[in-house]
Amino acid sequence: MDKDSKKKSIIIRVVCIIASFCLWLYINNIENPVREYKINNVPVEIANEDILKDLKLTMLPDEELKINVTIEGPANEVYKVKKDDIKIRVNLEGYALKKGENKIPVEIVNYPAGVSIKNNEYLRVSVVLDDYVEKSVPVKNYSSVDMKRGFYKGTTEITPTTVKVSGAADYVNTVTEVRITDSFTDISSDISKLVLLKAYNANGTEVTKVSLSPSTASLNISITKGKMVKIKVNTKGTLPDNVKLKEITTSKEIEVLGEKSTLEKISQLETEAIDLSQITSTKNVSVNVHIPQGVTVSNNDRTVEVTVTVEKYITKNINLTLTESKAPDGLDLTYDKSVSIVLNGEESAVSAIKDGTIKASIDLSAVKEGQNSIDYTITGVPSGITVKTKNPDKISVTAVKKP
């Protein structure tokens, strides 16, 4: 095909299209033929829904009734109609309604002039119903309270403690509790607020398609400020004979919570008594603290660590050599210069004694010819240590005149 022939073919096609469009315009605007037109998802209003409760039935949550309709009329009218131009209603009164799907006739309330609804006497809408149930469930507090430093959450009161849950059985029967889920931050004073309630199932998932009555609760949380108090450690019994008490200490203070007037009366807390007869060495003891009525302690801290520091008393035998002084002239003296002593004192002090620290000396100025019993002196014994015994108690000295 040559170039001119192709050009003629294209021109003919364009002319045909234009002619077809003009014919279509003529038919629709001049002839205006009758047409049918289907409109989908036309909303259906509900009348007398309140009778469902008398029948112990209810519509499913979020159920939207819609229906498809076919309209008929002149083309220029039909194609202008929108679904919002048609008003359809279903009346629930007077029908034998049941759980499950119900096909109920609808009433065409209003539609645009110039068109008609085809087969309107046969139009039905599907209404799905469920058993209507009610039950009471407990209100639980899941609120989060973030306190300012030094402040603590006290008692919590919720009113009411139970609420009625109602609606479709498939949803109501899954509800196990109603929760308060509000959050509070930087709190330093009492909380008193009307809070929204939410229904939850056993898995902790919120159930939204039910009704709650009431839908709110009064939440009251008391906020208290703590007070740090010292601990008085009580004891009973006595230490063993060879043990001496040095000190009983606890560095811990406990923070008590309660009403301001109550806290003002508390200056210290006392512990249960520690039995000293069971203490044989320095040890740490965990002991319960008596908490007065009307107060609590932060973090439920009801025990303290107490350090009981003791020192054991020991004895130590030391051998010494007598140093003599003031021996009389003209007498030959004979006596045993070896003596021993037994020291008694704190273990640390006794163990720290070095050789040569303690000395024994004898004053011989009172010796006379013959047999003498002379006392001797122990010096250099550290403070806190006593000489329990001396052996011998006195020194036997024999004095003979020199030739």
Side-chain angles (χ1 to χ4, degrees):
M1 184 181 290
D2 58 21
K3 190 173 182 180
D4 290 339
S5 298
K6 287 183 178 180
K7 187 184 260 188
K8 288 179 182 179
S9 176
I10 292 173
I11 292 172
I12 292 171
R13 290 178 183 177
V14 171
V15 170
C16 289
I17 291 172
I18 293 172
S20 298
F21 180 70
C22 291
L23 181 61
W24 180 84
L25 288 176
Y26 171 80
I27 292 172
N28 282 279
N29 291 282
I30 305 301
E31 294 295 330
N32 198 16
V34 174
R35 291 282 188 267
E36 288 185 2
Y37 180 54
K38 186 176 183 180
I39 301 179
N40 296 322
N41 299 320
V42 178
V44 179
E45 296 179 354
I46 305 171
N48 295 313
E49 185 179 359
D50 54 341
I51 69 166
L52 293 177
K53 278 192 179 181
D54 297 334
L55 301 173
K56 303 296 183 183
L57 295 172
T58 185
M59 294 183 62
L60 294 180
D62 302 328
E63 184 176 4
E64 294 183 357
L65 302 185
K66 295 181 179 180
I67 195 171
N68 300 331
V69 299
T70 301
I71 63 174
E72 185 180 62
N76 62 349
E77 296 291 340
V78 165
Y79 296 128
K80 291 191 300 183
V81 177
K82 307 298 182 186
K83 61 182 178 181
D84 293 337
D85 298 329
I86 303 173
K87 185 176 181 181
I88 301 176
R89 179 187 299 143
V90 61
N91 190 343
L92 300 182
E93 189 174 18
Y95 294 95
L97 301 174
K98 65 183 188 306
K99 179 181 178 180
E101 185 179 28
N102 297 264
K103 292 287 189 177
I104 305 174
V106 298
E107 174 189 358
I108 308 298
V109 178
N110 191 28
Y111 56 91
V115 299
S116 61
I117 309 294
K118 292 202 67 175
N119 300 319
N120 59 7
E121 67 273 16
Y122 300 108
L123 291 177
R124 282 173 169 73
V125 67
S126 175
V127 179
V128 179
L129 302 177
D130 193 7
D131 290 328
Y132 174 82
V133 295
E134 298 177 351
K135 70 175 182 179
S136 292
V137 296
V139 178
K140 300 292 184 67
N141 182 26
Y142 284 77
S143 63
S144 171
V145 181
D146 181 24
M147 313 298 303
K148 274 188 177 179
R149 185 179 180 86
F151 291 85
Y152 298 88
K153 184 170 71 170
T155 58
T156 298
E157 292 183 359
I158 300 171
T159 306
T161 56
T162 61
V163 299
K164 182 176 72 174
V165 182
S166 61
D170 284 349
Y171 296 93
V172 173
N173 289 338
T174 67
V175 176
T176 56
E177 65 183 15
V178 170
R179 297 182 181 180
I180 297 172
T181 59
D182 291 54
S183 295
F184 305 91
T185 58
D186 205 27
I187 299 300
S188 60
S189 59
D190 291 349
I191 297 171
S192 181
K193 185 180 179 183
L194 198 63
V195 292
L196 187 66
L197 299 175
K198 298 178 181 179
Y200 283 81
N201 62 23
N203 296 324
T205 303
E206 184 180 358
V207 182
T208 58
K209 298 178 180 182
V210 294
S211 296
L212 303 180
S213 180
S215 60
T216 58
S218 175
L219 175 65
N220 294 281
I221 302 175
S222 64
I223 305 301
T224 61
K225 188 173 183 179
K227 177 182 178 180
M228 301 300 296
V229 294
K230 294 182 178 181
I231 304 300
K232 178 186 177 184
V233 180
N234 292 323
T235 62
K236 65 180 181 179
T238 57
L239 290 167
D241 291 339
N242 65 333
V243 178
K244 177 184 178 182
L245 179 66
K246 298 196 76 173
E247 63 177 355
I248 298 177
T249 59
T250 176
S251 59
K252 185 174 182 179
E253 293 183 336
I254 285 184
E255 188 171 30
V256 292
L257 312 172
E259 297 295 334
K260 182 179 179 181
S261 58
T262 303
L263 296 183
E264 287 175 345
K265 300 175 184 177
I266 299 175
S267 59
Q268 65 180 13
L269 297 180
E270 297 188 9
T271 68
E272 293 180 349
I274 297 174
D275 189 356
L276 295 181
S277 66
Q278 302 300 311
I279 305 295
T280 58
S281 62
T282 297
K283 67 188 297 186
N284 293 325
V285 181
S286 180
V287 58
N288 292 327
V289 178
H290 292 298
I291 308 301
Q293 187 175 3
V295 300
T296 58
V297 292
S298 63
N299 303 319
N300 201 29
D301 198 359
R302 294 174 175 268
T303 61
V304 293
E305 287 291 322
V306 176
T307 301
V308 182
T309 304
V310 299
E311 187 76 54
K312 280 187 177 181
Y313 272 67
I314 63 171
T315 59
K316 183 178 182 179
N317 188 72
I318 296 180
N319 295 318
L320 300 171
T321 300
L322 287 169
T323 300
E324 64 180 44
S325 64
K326 300 180 181 180
D329 296 333
L331 292 174
D332 285 330
L333 305 180
T334 303
Y335 63 92
D336 189 353
K337 294 187 176 182
S338 296
V339 298
S340 66
I341 61 173
V342 176
L343 301 178
N344 183 54
E346 294 179 1
E347 184 176 20
S348 58
V350 172
S351 300
I353 297 174
K354 295 180 180 179
D355 292 343
T357 300
I358 299 175
K359 301 181 183 299
S361 62
I362 186 169
D363 183 351
L364 299 174
S365 60
V367 172
K368 300 183 187 299
E369 184 179 5
Q371 293 294 323
N372 298 266
S373 181
I374 306 297
D375 198 6
Y376 59 96
T377 302
I378 305 297
T379 60
V381 179
S383 176
I385 297 176
T386 59
V387 178
K388 189 175 183 180
T389 60
K390 296 191 300 183
N391 186 27
D393 185 49
K394 291 187 176 183
I395 303 299
S396 178
V397 180
T398 302
V400 180
K401 281 187 178 181
K402 291 181 179 179

